Amino acid sequence: AWETPAAEFALSRLAPRGAAAFEGEVAGPEILLCTEGAARVEAGPDALRLGAGDAVFVPAAAGRYRVSGEGTIFRCAVGPDGK
């Protein structure tokens, strides 16, 4: 994670590898950007595959989501203290 000058914004890097996955709970809107490899983003019954250069908007209403695969994902979060 990187510290930003705005308390409402957080930037972090996710690097799931195979079975190791990131599971997050959305407190505010987020953007997930895949910069290399490939990843799968699952929120409820919906799933999306991301390749290098692909991004997805995760609305605050999504609740919990999961990222898995072999990619590098940058997560931009907006909310109180970026959480």
Side-chain angles (χ1 to χ4, degrees), residues 41-60:
V41 179
E42 300 170 68
D46 299 320
L48 181 66
R49 184 180 182 282
L50 298 179
D54 293 334
V56 64
F57 177 77
V58 182

Side-chain angles (χ1 to χ4, degrees), residues 25-32 43 46 56-65 78:
E25 187 154 354
V26 181
E30 297 183 4
I31 296 172
L32 303 176
D46 299 320
V56 64
F57 177 77
V58 182
R64 296 190 61 78
Y65 68 92
V78 177

Side-chain angles (χ1 to χ4, degrees), residues 55-75:
V56 64
F57 177 77
V58 182
R64 296 190 61 78
Y65 68 92
R66 174 183 166 94
V67 179
S68 59
E70 297 287 331
T72 299
I73 308 292
F74 283 88
R75 176 182 178 223

